[in-house]
Amino acid sequence: MKRREFITLVGGAAALWPATVLAQEPVKMLRVGAVSGQPRNSPFWQPFVRRMVELGYQEGKSFVFDLITTSNIDGFEAGYRELVTRNVDIILASGPEISLKSALANSTTTPIVMVAIDFDPLARGYVTSLARPTGNVTGVFLQQIELTEKRVQLLKSAFPDLQAATVFWDRITTDQWEAAQRAGANLGLRLSGVEFLDPPFDYDKALAQAAPDSRGTVFVLVSPFFFRDRAQQADFALRNRIVTMFGFREWTDAGGLMSYGASVSSMQRLAAGYVDRVARGVKPADLPIEQPTKFELVINLKTAKALGITFPQSFLATADEVVE
């Protein structure tokens, strides 16, 4: 049950888009390219495509979404190089830093719309300002590191007696893992990290590598390859009777116990709005970078019941949505 609207725009950025530009016609056939660990039918990409249709684009007639999927982190570089050779009009760099880094390595002129999910594009030097980014990059920026610390706090609030937990992380989520360790130390929560290297991932084998007293609770960090395995992780957790915390509600929808974060759907719909405006002639540097400022705690009570878990009423009262 929804209790509040989910995402707001920072600084009224939409109001800064010139009305004269918004009235212009987009190119006749818009080619948008992306490289991702998620397939086209994933809830990661469906909101983007739906929003493009709502904005008046017809796939195959006025819009082509050229998506190259990769099974591992090393595929991003080759994927974006291929998109540049296909002469896409706009590049989408959604998700991990390697996505934007690879896109920029292959083109400094093609407009790039980013959805920066696991890194700070300003701190890393990809843009010089959020209000007026320079160069060919604009889009959405999610402050994932701060959210990681908040998730650890929520985990401890839900289970005050919890002393130890396991964290699943990979090369993409190194900064998140470091943030989780800081938060855990401040809360007196011992975290046992298990690094995942090459997909496909074996979650049962990974759990066996964690400290024995931490195996009852698993915190999965936000990585495209973990996101892709969300149904597999939910099954793994139920079989092993494990408490789980995730970063996006799509994990909870798949059967995970808890999630806290911004809306993937809202961020991708925002990205489509950027694509539309760039297609109509706005320069990326003239479009302020937006940040989600609303976040939701989602609890799957069906999963809790299957695990025999009862949440404190005070904690349930803080949830934005409860899946029953």
Side-chain angles (χ1 to χ4, degrees):
M1 46 192 171
K2 289 286 184 182
R3 295 184 182 165
R4 59 176 179 259
E5 289 298 322
F6 194 60
I7 190 168
T8 60
L9 309 185
V10 171
L16 300 179
W17 292 320
T20 54
V21 173
L22 296 179
Q24 295 176 12
E25 290 296 322
V27 294
K28 289 184 178 180
M29 176 61 80
L30 176 65
R31 297 186 62 87
V32 180
V35 181
S36 176
Q38 312 306 315
R40 183 187 176 88
N41 63 355
S42 165
F44 189 83
W45 288 117
Q46 288 176 335
F48 170 79
V49 175
R50 283 197 298 267
R51 181 57 181 156
M52 291 297 293
V53 173
E54 292 170 5
L55 290 168
Y57 295 87
Q58 298 180 54
E59 283 198 82
K61 294 184 179 180
S62 60
F63 166 59
V64 172
F65 182 37
D66 194 349
L67 178 65
I68 296 176
T69 57
T70 177
S71 61
N72 56 60
I73 193 173
D74 298 321
F76 284 94
E77 169 67 25
Y80 281 107
R81 184 166 58 249
E82 174 62 24
L83 286 177
V84 171
T85 66
R86 296 179 187 179
N87 294 316
V88 295
D89 299 299
I90 299 172
I91 292 174
L92 270 177
S94 292
E97 182 180 7
I98 187 64
S99 183
L100 179 58
K101 183 178 181 179
S102 298
L104 281 169
N106 285 284
S107 180
T108 57
T109 57
T110 305
I112 297 174
V113 173
M114 67 175 177
V115 181
I117 287 180
D118 79 325
F119 66 103
D120 184 334
L122 182 62
R124 296 290 172 89
Y126 294 108
V127 296
T128 57
S129 169
L130 297 182
R132 292 193 63 83
T134 54
N136 61 327
V137 178
T138 188
V140 184
F141 161 39
L142 175 65
Q143 293 180 303
Q144 192 69 261
I145 305 305
E146 292 83 351
L147 289 173
T148 301
E149 297 177 355
K150 178 64 175 180
R151 292 176 192 123
V152 176
Q153 294 169 10
L154 287 169
L155 190 59
K156 185 66 173 177
S157 295
F159 305 100
D161 296 331
L162 184 66
Q163 299 296 315
T166 295
V167 178
F168 287 170
W169 65 286
D170 63 3
R171 273 196 291 167
I172 289 172
T173 57
T174 301
D175 290 345
Q176 294 176 51
W177 167 224
E178 292 173 353
Q181 291 178 89
R182 290 194 299 270
N186 291 334
L187 294 168
L189 180 62
R190 288 181 288 105
L191 299 179
S192 177
V194 178
E195 181 181 8
F196 287 72
L197 299 175
D198 300 311
F201 297 147
D202 186 330
Y203 294 98
D204 289 281
K205 183 178 179 180
L207 186 65
Q209 300 174 35
D213 65 344
S214 71
R215 295 174 187 172
T217 300
V218 172
F219 178 13
V220 180
L221 301 183
V222 177
S223 161
F225 304 112
F226 289 149
F227 185 87
R228 184 178 59 192
D229 289 350
R230 60 195 180 280
Q232 180 184 346
Q233 292 158 6
D235 176 70
F236 151 79
L238 282 173
R239 283 190 291 102
N240 291 281
R241 303 189 65 77
I242 292 171
V243 169
T244 48
M245 168 61 87
F246 300 100
F248 293 131
R249 67 157 306 135
E250 284 76 10
W251 265 291
T252 315
D253 291 339
L257 182 63
M258 294 184 295
S259 64
Y260 179 76
S263 165
V264 170
S265 177
S266 293
M267 288 189 291
Q268 292 293 46
R269 288 175 64 84
L270 282 175
Y274 277 98
V275 167
D276 177 51
R277 287 161 178 81
V278 171
R280 294 175 187 274
V282 187
K283 296 179 181 179
D286 292 332
L287 293 173
I289 292 170
E290 300 178 21
Q291 295 178 267
T293 58
K294 296 294 184 181
F295 310 99
E296 63 179 354
L297 170 64
V298 181
I299 299 173
N300 191 322
L301 283 186
K302 183 177 180 181
T303 298
K305 183 177 180 180
L307 294 173
I309 292 172
T310 301
F311 287 100
Q313 283 301 316
S314 58
F315 183 76
L316 283 177
T318 66
D320 298 277
E321 186 168 352
V322 174
V323 179
E324 298 183 274

